Amino acid sequence: MFRSRRAPRLAAVLASVLLLFTATACGGDDSDSGSSDAGAKASASGESAFPVTIAHKYGSTTIESEPQRIVTVGLTDQDAVLALGKVPVGTTEWLGGYKGAIGPWAADKLGSAEAPTVLKDTGTGPQVEKIAALKPDLILALYGGLTKEQYESLSKFAPVVAQPKEYNDYGIPWQELTEKVGQALGKPDEAKQVVEDTEAKIKAAAEEHPEFKGASAVMATPYEGMFVFGSQDARSRILTDLGLTLPKDLDKAIGDQFGANISKERTDLLDQDAVVWIVGDVTKDADKLHKDASYKDLAVVKEGREVFVQETGDYGNATSFVSALSLPYVVERLVPQLAAAVDGKADTKVEQPAS
């Protein structure tokens, strides 16, 4: 099954109110959200990173001092925290199977620290008691879909940085997520450096493959039919960061969501220079797709331009995770597959990575 945010509807695993701490969040309507730049402002003296105010979908949140007990309810926020040298006391499980909800691409950042407590995505609402028991002094919910009610409940016992209003829920780019976490932790310069280092690795891969520039591609999964990811989805941005272009009618077809199921009349969206399928089983799902009358005769199939990524396993997990730490891991494996897909030779086989 296409899990968590891999499906059109994400079951929220977010918390509600139980404790009240001295560091409080400043909620409010959009008129309180501040400027549309980086979304943060340092103290007037400029001598300290705190207090810092960060704008988001539900107003703005002020963090008075450096947080020590961070809980991430955003599904990829922990990687930005780890990249900046801190370890959350709590993380929200998305992929499953990883200690502390920390993938192998980020495990070395944990060092000798105790792994975070993992909050489960039950789909039944906030886990009030478990989050409260962690006594957080900051809750990060940037890569997520907090409702206003959930945000207000959480804000009663710790400052909450919710998703930005400029994007769809689960639509914040990894660069902005990293920089906002840097602001919240009082490490804006370090966060910018993390972003620059990761972008440099992606840029180097793109420059090694000039054939990507101008080639079209799309990310999809056979979830309840054919599900495609739009331009505001983090996976789609992997393609565009590498120089590929998305189908021009993609967002029009899916509306204001990160992705959506398409009708059989719109399988033209899949007929690109490359289509990247995230699947549960490469062999079985490829066979099933190739029997679909609306898909099997497309040029992308006949000319061998399909890329298959098995969603279970570290590569597939990293592909859907999309963080400053996971992206280099993905690029190393995805780029050779894309290069084989767009080389213009129908007999070039798109190989699966060794690991």
Side-chain angles (χ1 to χ4, degrees):
M1 178 176 176
F2 196 58
R3 298 167 303 186
S4 216
R5 189 198 55 105
R6 300 180 186 188
R9 178 180 177 273
L10 177 70
V13 183
L14 303 164
S16 196
V17 55
L18 191 62
L19 299 175
L20 180 63
F21 293 89
T22 56
T24 58
C26 300
D29 59 25
D30 288 345
S31 64
D32 297 324
S33 62
S35 63
S36 60
D37 57 10
K41 54 184 178 181
S43 62
S45 68
E47 296 176 357
S48 171
F50 298 98
V52 62
T53 299
I54 303 176
H56 51 71
K57 186 174 182 178
Y58 301 117
S60 61
T61 294
T62 296
I63 302 161
E64 299 291 348
S65 59
E66 182 179 355
Q68 302 299 326
R69 298 187 61 80
I70 304 158
V71 171
T72 61
V73 295
L75 299 183
T76 65
D77 297 13
Q78 64 263 42
D79 271 19
V81 176
L82 290 164
L84 294 171
K86 284 186 174 287
V87 177
V89 296
T91 54
T92 297
E93 184 175 76
W94 173 22
L95 302 170
Y98 296 131
K99 185 178 181 180
I102 296 173
W105 52 85
D108 63 330
K109 300 294 184 181
L110 183 61
S112 60
E114 183 178 350
T117 297
V118 177
L119 307 167
K120 301 292 184 179
D121 184 349
T122 63
T124 59
Q127 291 187 304
V128 179
E129 295 179 2
K130 289 185 178 180
I131 290 181
L134 295 173
K135 300 182 179 179
D137 53 16
L138 176 65
I139 297 172
L140 294 171
L142 287 158
Y143 188 77
L146 276 184
T147 65
K148 188 172 183 179
E149 181 181 6
Q150 290 166 341
Y151 166 75
E152 291 174 346
S153 294
L154 287 165
S155 297
K156 292 178 181 178
F157 64 91
V160 180
V161 182
Q163 67 271 30
K165 66 179 181 179
E166 294 86 358
Y167 307 100
N168 296 341
D169 289 353
Y170 309 98
I172 183 174
W174 66 268
Q175 295 98 324
E176 187 168 336
L177 184 153
T178 304
E179 292 186 358
K180 283 187 179 293
V181 171
Q183 293 158 12
L185 301 187
K187 297 186 175 186
D189 293 339
E190 293 94 327
K192 288 180 181 178
Q193 189 61 56
V194 168
V195 170
E196 288 175 6
D197 290 346
T198 301
E199 286 183 331
K201 293 174 183 177
I202 299 171
K203 182 179 178 181
E207 289 176 346
E208 290 175 5
H209 294 277
E211 69 272 22
F212 290 169
K213 191 172 184 178
S216 62
V218 65
M219 284 262 190
T221 185
Y223 172 80
E224 294 184 352
M226 295 182 184
F227 187 96
V228 297
F229 299 99
S231 66
Q232 288 201 33
D233 184 78
R235 282 156 290 213
S236 294
R237 292 191 184 110
I238 299 175
L239 301 178
T240 55
D241 286 346
L242 287 169
L244 296 119
T245 60
L246 303 177
K248 71 175 183 179
D249 292 336
L250 181 60
D251 286 348
K252 183 178 179 180
I254 67 174
D256 62 349
Q257 304 296 316
F258 69 84
N261 286 95
I262 57 172
S263 67
K264 293 185 181 297
E265 289 74 27
R266 289 312 315 268
T267 53
D268 60 292
L269 292 169
L270 302 169
D271 202 12
Q272 308 301 319
D273 293 312
V275 56
V276 181
W277 285 103
I278 302 174
V279 298
D281 184 285
V282 171
T283 300
K284 291 181 180 178
D285 284 307
D287 287 345
K288 185 176 179 179
L289 284 165
H290 294 165
K291 292 176 183 177
D292 190 303
S294 66
Y295 177 73
K296 65 180 182 179
D297 293 326
L298 298 179
V300 70
V301 179
K302 292 183 176 181
E303 297 175 11
R305 294 189 260 116
E306 298 168 293
V307 172
F308 287 95
V309 177
Q310 185 163 322
E311 69 164 328
T312 53
D314 295 340
Y315 175 33
N317 287 339
T319 301
S320 287
F321 206 72
V322 191
S323 71
L325 298 180
S326 71
L327 276 166
Y329 186 97
V330 173
V331 166
E332 182 181 347
R333 291 156 177 78
L334 180 61
V335 164
Q337 291 183 296
L338 288 170
V342 304
D343 72 349
K345 300 175 183 178
D347 59 348
T348 301
K349 185 177 181 181
V350 179
E351 301 284 355
Q352 290 296 304
S355 62

PDB file of all heavy atoms in Angstrom, residues 221-244:
ATOM      1  N   THR A 221       2.898   6.669  -8.939  1.00  0.00           N
ATOM      2  CA  THR A 221       2.805   5.403  -8.212  1.00  0.00           C
ATOM      3  C   THR A 221       1.479   4.743  -8.564  1.00  0.00           C
ATOM      4  O   THR A 221       0.468   5.441  -8.787  1.00  0.00           O
ATOM      5  CB  THR A 221       2.907   5.629  -6.690  1.00  0.00           C
ATOM      6  OG1 THR A 221       2.937   4.358  -6.024  1.00  0.00           O
ATOM      7  CG2 THR A 221       1.735   6.435  -6.162  1.00  0.00           C
ATOM      8  N   PRO A 222       1.436   3.413  -8.649  1.00  0.00           N
ATOM      9  CA  PRO A 222       0.169   2.724  -8.953  1.00  0.00           C
ATOM     10  C   PRO A 222      -0.682   2.546  -7.707  1.00  0.00           C
ATOM     11  O   PRO A 222      -1.042   1.433  -7.320  1.00  0.00           O
ATOM     12  CB  PRO A 222       0.638   1.376  -9.518  1.00  0.00           C
ATOM     13  CG  PRO A 222       1.934   1.116  -8.833  1.00  0.00           C
ATOM     14  CD  PRO A 222       2.575   2.475  -8.652  1.00  0.00           C
ATOM     15  N   TYR A 223      -1.015   3.654  -7.068  1.00  0.00           N
ATOM     16  CA  TYR A 223      -1.839   3.632  -5.868  1.00  0.00           C
ATOM     17  C   TYR A 223      -3.297   3.855  -6.264  1.00  0.00           C
ATOM     18  O   TYR A 223      -3.650   4.915  -6.770  1.00  0.00           O
ATOM     19  CB  TYR A 223      -1.384   4.723  -4.881  1.00  0.00           C
ATOM     20  CG  TYR A 223      -2.306   4.882  -3.694  1.00  0.00           C
ATOM     21  CD1 TYR A 223      -2.234   4.002  -2.630  1.00  0.00           C
ATOM     22  CD2 TYR A 223      -3.254   5.908  -3.666  1.00  0.00           C
ATOM     23  CE1 TYR A 223      -3.089   4.140  -1.538  1.00  0.00           C
ATOM     24  CE2 TYR A 223      -4.107   6.049  -2.579  1.00  0.00           C
ATOM     25  CZ  TYR A 223      -4.025   5.163  -1.528  1.00  0.00           C
ATOM     26  OH  TYR A 223      -4.871   5.289  -0.460  1.00  0.00           O
ATOM     27  N   GLU A 224      -4.131   2.849  -6.049  1.00  0.00           N
ATOM     28  CA  GLU A 224      -5.554   2.914  -6.400  1.00  0.00           C
ATOM     29  C   GLU A 224      -5.735   3.420  -7.831  1.00  0.00           C
ATOM     30  O   GLU A 224      -6.564   4.277  -8.112  1.00  0.00           O
ATOM     31  CB  GLU A 224      -6.300   3.807  -5.406  1.00  0.00           C
ATOM     32  CG  GLU A 224      -6.320   3.225  -4.001  1.00  0.00           C
ATOM     33  CD  GLU A 224      -7.142   4.056  -3.024  1.00  0.00           C
ATOM     34  OE1 GLU A 224      -7.565   5.173  -3.410  1.00  0.00           O
ATOM     35  OE2 GLU A 224      -7.363   3.593  -1.890  1.00  0.00           O
ATOM     36  N   GLY A 225      -4.939   2.895  -8.722  1.00  0.00           N
ATOM     37  CA  GLY A 225      -4.964   3.308 -10.126  1.00  0.00           C
ATOM     38  C   GLY A 225      -3.624   3.887 -10.503  1.00  0.00           C
ATOM     39  O   GLY A 225      -2.586   3.244 -10.336  1.00  0.00           O
ATOM     40  N   MET A 226      -3.635   5.118 -10.983  1.00  0.00           N
ATOM     41  CA  MET A 226      -2.394   5.804 -11.326  1.00  0.00           C
ATOM     42  C   MET A 226      -2.383   7.162 -10.639  1.00  0.00           C
ATOM     43  O   MET A 226      -3.217   8.019 -10.923  1.00  0.00           O
ATOM     44  CB  MET A 226      -2.268   5.948 -12.842  1.00  0.00           C
ATOM     45  CG  MET A 226      -2.148   4.614 -13.562  1.00  0.00           C
ATOM     46  SD  MET A 226      -1.932   4.784 -15.337  1.00  0.00           S
ATOM     47  CE  MET A 226      -1.965   3.048 -15.830  1.00  0.00           C
ATOM     48  N   PHE A 227      -1.432   7.334  -9.757  1.00  0.00           N
ATOM     49  CA  PHE A 227      -1.321   8.524  -8.927  1.00  0.00           C
ATOM     50  C   PHE A 227      -0.065   9.274  -9.338  1.00  0.00           C
ATOM     51  O   PHE A 227       1.030   8.708  -9.358  1.00  0.00           O
ATOM     52  CB  PHE A 227      -1.245   8.112  -7.459  1.00  0.00           C
ATOM     53  CG  PHE A 227      -1.286   9.245  -6.472  1.00  0.00           C
ATOM     54  CD1 PHE A 227      -2.478   9.609  -5.874  1.00  0.00           C
ATOM     55  CD2 PHE A 227      -0.127   9.941  -6.126  1.00  0.00           C
ATOM     56  CE1 PHE A 227      -2.525  10.640  -4.935  1.00  0.00           C
ATOM     57  CE2 PHE A 227      -0.167  10.965  -5.198  1.00  0.00           C
ATOM     58  CZ  PHE A 227      -1.365  11.327  -4.601  1.00  0.00           C
ATOM     59  N   VAL A 228      -0.206  10.556  -9.693  1.00  0.00           N
ATOM     60  CA  VAL A 228       0.950  11.354 -10.110  1.00  0.00           C
ATOM     61  C   VAL A 228       1.206  12.461  -9.096  1.00  0.00           C
ATOM     62  O   VAL A 228       0.285  12.960  -8.448  1.00  0.00           O
ATOM     63  CB  VAL A 228       0.752  11.961 -11.516  1.00  0.00           C
ATOM     64  CG1 VAL A 228       0.638  10.880 -12.565  1.00  0.00           C
ATOM     65  CG2 VAL A 228      -0.471  12.884 -11.554  1.00  0.00           C
ATOM     66  N   PHE A 229       2.460  12.838  -8.966  1.00  0.00           N
ATOM     67  CA  PHE A 229       2.873  13.872  -8.022  1.00  0.00           C
ATOM     68  C   PHE A 229       3.065  15.195  -8.747  1.00  0.00           C
ATOM     69  O   PHE A 229       3.683  15.255  -9.812  1.00  0.00           O
ATOM     70  CB  PHE A 229       4.167  13.457  -7.327  1.00  0.00           C
ATOM     71  CG  PHE A 229       4.035  12.186  -6.542  1.00  0.00           C
ATOM     72  CD1 PHE A 229       4.468  10.978  -7.068  1.00  0.00           C
ATOM     73  CD2 PHE A 229       3.450  12.187  -5.286  1.00  0.00           C
ATOM     74  CE1 PHE A 229       4.334   9.795  -6.363  1.00  0.00           C
ATOM     75  CE2 PHE A 229       3.314  11.014  -4.563  1.00  0.00           C
ATOM     76  CZ  PHE A 229       3.750   9.813  -5.093  1.00  0.00           C
ATOM     77  N   GLY A 230       2.534  16.281  -8.158  1.00  0.00           N
ATOM     78  CA  GLY A 230       2.583  17.592  -8.787  1.00  0.00           C
ATOM     79  C   GLY A 230       3.862  18.348  -8.498  1.00  0.00           C
ATOM     80  O   GLY A 230       4.768  17.855  -7.819  1.00  0.00           O
ATOM     81  N   SER A 231       3.905  19.578  -8.972  1.00  0.00           N
ATOM     82  CA  SER A 231       5.126  20.368  -8.881  1.00  0.00           C
ATOM     83  C   SER A 231       5.479  20.760  -7.458  1.00  0.00           C
ATOM     84  O   SER A 231       6.639  21.078  -7.166  1.00  0.00           O
ATOM     85  CB  SER A 231       4.993  21.639  -9.733  1.00  0.00           C
ATOM     86  OG  SER A 231       4.003  22.499  -9.199  1.00  0.00           O
ATOM     87  N   GLN A 232       4.498  20.750  -6.537  1.00  0.00           N
ATOM     88  CA  GLN A 232       4.792  21.106  -5.159  1.00  0.00           C
ATOM     89  C   GLN A 232       5.141  19.901  -4.294  1.00  0.00           C
ATOM     90  O   GLN A 232       5.347  20.032  -3.086  1.00  0.00           O
ATOM     91  CB  GLN A 232       3.623  21.890  -4.541  1.00  0.00           C
ATOM     92  CG  GLN A 232       3.502  23.301  -5.079  1.00  0.00           C
ATOM     93  CD  GLN A 232       2.710  24.200  -4.136  1.00  0.00           C
ATOM     94  OE1 GLN A 232       2.744  24.071  -2.924  1.00  0.00           O
ATOM     95  NE2 GLN A 232       1.979  25.145  -4.724  1.00  0.00           N
ATOM     96  N   ASP A 233       5.238  18.750  -4.916  1.00  0.00           N
ATOM     97  CA  ASP A 233       5.649  17.577  -4.165  1.00  0.00           C
ATOM     98  C   ASP A 233       7.171  17.493  -4.153  1.00  0.00           C
ATOM     99  O   ASP A 233       7.839  17.777  -5.149  1.00  0.00           O
ATOM    100  CB  ASP A 233       5.076  16.306  -4.780  1.00  0.00           C
ATOM    101  CG  ASP A 233       5.416  15.094  -3.943  1.00  0.00           C
ATOM    102  OD1 ASP A 233       4.757  14.882  -2.908  1.00  0.00           O
ATOM    103  OD2 ASP A 233       6.366  14.365  -4.303  1.00  0.00           O
ATOM    104  N   ALA A 234       7.713  17.090  -3.014  1.00  0.00           N
ATOM    105  CA  ALA A 234       9.165  17.051  -2.862  1.00  0.00           C
ATOM    106  C   ALA A 234       9.826  16.092  -3.844  1.00  0.00           C
ATOM    107  O   ALA A 234      10.937  16.334  -4.315  1.00  0.00           O
ATOM    108  CB  ALA A 234       9.514  16.657  -1.429  1.00  0.00           C
ATOM    109  N   ARG A 235       9.160  14.998  -4.188  1.00  0.00           N
ATOM    110  CA  ARG A 235       9.739  14.047  -5.135  1.00  0.00           C
ATOM    111  C   ARG A 235       9.840  14.639  -6.532  1.00  0.00           C
ATOM    112  O   ARG A 235      10.828  14.434  -7.242  1.00  0.00           O
ATOM    113  CB  ARG A 235       8.902  12.765  -5.148  1.00  0.00           C
ATOM    114  CG  ARG A 235       9.167  11.861  -3.980  1.00  0.00           C
ATOM    115  CD  ARG A 235       7.994  10.962  -3.700  1.00  0.00           C
ATOM    116  NE  ARG A 235       6.871  11.742  -3.172  1.00  0.00           N
ATOM    117  CZ  ARG A 235       6.003  11.278  -2.296  1.00  0.00           C
ATOM    118  NH1 ARG A 235       6.121  10.049  -1.836  1.00  0.00           N
ATOM    119  NH2 ARG A 235       5.015  12.020  -1.866  1.00  0.00           N
ATOM    120  N   SER A 236       8.822  15.383  -6.935  1.00  0.00           N
ATOM    121  CA  SER A 236       8.875  16.032  -8.243  1.00  0.00           C
ATOM    122  C   SER A 236      10.029  17.020  -8.317  1.00  0.00           C
ATOM    123  O   SER A 236      10.660  17.191  -9.360  1.00  0.00           O
ATOM    124  CB  SER A 236       7.558  16.759  -8.540  1.00  0.00           C
ATOM    125  OG  SER A 236       6.491  15.842  -8.686  1.00  0.00           O
ATOM    126  N   ARG A 237      10.311  17.659  -7.184  1.00  0.00           N
ATOM    127  CA  ARG A 237      11.393  18.640  -7.177  1.00  0.00           C
ATOM    128  C   ARG A 237      12.759  17.981  -7.347  1.00  0.00           C
ATOM    129  O   ARG A 237      13.724  18.638  -7.745  1.00  0.00           O
ATOM    130  CB  ARG A 237      11.349  19.462  -5.890  1.00  0.00           C
ATOM    131  CG  ARG A 237      10.131  20.384  -5.803  1.00  0.00           C
ATOM    132  CD  ARG A 237      10.285  21.367  -4.649  1.00  0.00           C
ATOM    133  NE  ARG A 237       9.094  22.191  -4.506  1.00  0.00           N
ATOM    134  CZ  ARG A 237       8.232  22.115  -3.505  1.00  0.00           C
ATOM    135  NH1 ARG A 237       8.426  21.225  -2.542  1.00  0.00           N
ATOM    136  NH2 ARG A 237       7.191  22.909  -3.445  1.00  0.00           N
ATOM    137  N   ILE A 238      12.877  16.707  -7.017  1.00  0.00           N
ATOM    138  CA  ILE A 238      14.135  16.008  -7.309  1.00  0.00           C
ATOM    139  C   ILE A 238      14.393  16.048  -8.810  1.00  0.00           C
ATOM    140  O   ILE A 238      15.516  16.313  -9.269  1.00  0.00           O
ATOM    141  CB  ILE A 238      14.081  14.542  -6.827  1.00  0.00           C
ATOM    142  CG1 ILE A 238      13.868  14.459  -5.326  1.00  0.00           C
ATOM    143  CG2 ILE A 238      15.371  13.814  -7.217  1.00  0.00           C
ATOM    144  CD1 ILE A 238      13.686  13.052  -4.806  1.00  0.00           C
ATOM    145  N   LEU A 239      13.357  15.806  -9.591  1.00  0.00           N
ATOM    146  CA  LEU A 239      13.492  15.801 -11.054  1.00  0.00           C
ATOM    147  C   LEU A 239      13.856  17.182 -11.577  1.00  0.00           C
ATOM    148  O   LEU A 239      14.772  17.327 -12.397  1.00  0.00           O
ATOM    149  CB  LEU A 239      12.195  15.316 -11.692  1.00  0.00           C
ATOM    150  CG  LEU A 239      11.719  13.907 -11.305  1.00  0.00           C
ATOM    151  CD1 LEU A 239      10.385  13.589 -11.976  1.00  0.00           C
ATOM    152  CD2 LEU A 239      12.762  12.864 -11.689  1.00  0.00           C
ATOM    153  N   THR A 240      13.151  18.195 -11.120  1.00  0.00           N
ATOM    154  CA  THR A 240      13.415  19.544 -11.628  1.00  0.00           C
ATOM    155  C   THR A 240      14.775  20.056 -11.166  1.00  0.00           C
ATOM    156  O   THR A 240      15.453  20.785 -11.898  1.00  0.00           O
ATOM    157  CB  THR A 240      12.300  20.520 -11.226  1.00  0.00           C
ATOM    158  OG1 THR A 240      12.129  20.506  -9.794  1.00  0.00           O
ATOM    159  CG2 THR A 240      10.978  20.132 -11.881  1.00  0.00           C
ATOM    160  N   ASP A 241      15.206  19.672  -9.972  1.00  0.00           N
ATOM    161  CA  ASP A 241      16.529  20.079  -9.506  1.00  0.00           C
ATOM    162  C   ASP A 241      17.637  19.461 -10.361  1.00  0.00           C
ATOM    163  O   ASP A 241      18.733  20.020 -10.464  1.00  0.00           O
ATOM    164  CB  ASP A 241      16.734  19.694  -8.042  1.00  0.00           C
ATOM    165  CG  ASP A 241      15.945  20.583  -7.082  1.00  0.00           C
ATOM    166  OD1 ASP A 241      15.460  21.650  -7.523  1.00  0.00           O
ATOM    167  OD2 ASP A 241      15.806  20.201  -5.905  1.00  0.00           O
ATOM    168  N   LEU A 242      17.348  18.332 -10.960  1.00  0.00           N
ATOM    169  CA  LEU A 242      18.321  17.677 -11.833  1.00  0.00           C
ATOM    170  C   LEU A 242      18.262  18.210 -13.264  1.00  0.00           C
ATOM    171  O   LEU A 242      19.035  17.773 -14.116  1.00  0.00           O
ATOM    172  CB  LEU A 242      18.101  16.164 -11.837  1.00  0.00           C
ATOM    173  CG  LEU A 242      18.524  15.442 -10.550  1.00  0.00           C
ATOM    174  CD1 LEU A 242      18.010  14.004 -10.549  1.00  0.00           C
ATOM    175  CD2 LEU A 242      20.044  15.465 -10.385  1.00  0.00           C
ATOM    176  N   GLY A 243      17.335  19.145 -13.523  1.00  0.00           N
ATOM    177  CA  GLY A 243      17.260  19.771 -14.828  1.00  0.00           C
ATOM    178  C   GLY A 243      16.128  19.295 -15.711  1.00  0.00           C
ATOM    179  O   GLY A 243      15.928  19.829 -16.802  1.00  0.00           O
ATOM    180  N   LEU A 244      15.370  18.298 -15.258  1.00  0.00           N
ATOM    181  CA  LEU A 244      14.240  17.804 -16.033  1.00  0.00           C
ATOM    182  C   LEU A 244      13.029  18.722 -15.858  1.00  0.00           C
ATOM    183  O   LEU A 244      12.967  19.507 -14.916  1.00  0.00           O
ATOM    184  CB  LEU A 244      13.887  16.378 -15.615  1.00  0.00           C
ATOM    185  CG  LEU A 244      15.001  15.343 -15.903  1.00  0.00           C
ATOM    186  CD1 LEU A 244      15.467  14.720 -14.618  1.00  0.00           C
ATOM    187  CD2 LEU A 244      14.559  14.286 -16.878  1.00  0.00           C
TER     188      LEU A 244
END
